Amino acid sequence: TTGKKSIVLSSESRKELAKQAKVTKEEKRAQIDERHRYLISRLADGIGLSEQQVEEAIISDDKFQLIEQFFDPNGLKKLLFFYQDVLQEKSNASLRSAGSTNSLLHKKLFITMGSTEDFTGTCAFFLRTSDKAVTASNVSQEINFGIFDCSNGNILQGLEFFLSQIMIPALKSQENWGAVKEGLKNSQIQDFLYSVDTFVGTLSSSRQNIEDKIQLTKVDIDIYLSNLQNPSDYITAG
């Protein structure tokens, strides 16, 4: 047979697994400090969940260790969270109808590397500004937070909105440009901002072209070809 085998766990085994999962979650909860609280607070505000919901999602995530790697000196440069519909795992699957897939979708917040899961909802991201270790005292200075909304998987529209409504206004209002003392009056800064504006315009055109695409109808040409016998038939068909 080629069908999948069903593994049936005894009630004792299920209780033991649940007990182990609870212990693991409590161990993670014990590791939460002011740095984690800062991330949790930003996520709750940005996504619209309570801090308790965010904390529960984080300690239930099997990629929890990525947070620690993000805090380490010379650690990960980014930490990503997706908040979107996912298929919920269910027990007693054989008792459900095969056509009830839609009822299994539910919103979930989870940590991701951004390369394995399809992005269809909201991405909350944290970016490091240096290679320093992230501590409770410097977490608000060393980490930038942002939201990238691609509801229904519309990535081009999400990126266009993020750049045009958030990043470009922020750049154009920025007074401190580091070593560039003239700031916005500097020709290179002006060229940079012009390039970003042009890129956003290209994004907008690409999105509109995709949305306004022409869907060609498939035509069955066999009925036209089956009676072709000689050159004159081809001319007539043409």
Side-chain angles (χ1 to χ4, degrees), residues 26 40 51 83 120 123 129 158 161 185 204:
E26 293 309 314
I40 290 171
E51 293 191 8
Y83 181 59
T120 60
C123 173
T129 61
F161 179 86
K185 296 180 180 179
S204 179

Side-chain angles (χ1 to χ4, degrees), residues 28 61-67 110-113 116-117:
K28 293 177 181 177
D61 201 301
D62 58 4
K63 294 187 179 71
F64 179 83
Q65 75 280 0
L66 292 181
I67 301 178
F110 58 93
I111 304 170
T112 176
M113 292 297 292
T116 54
E117 297 90 359

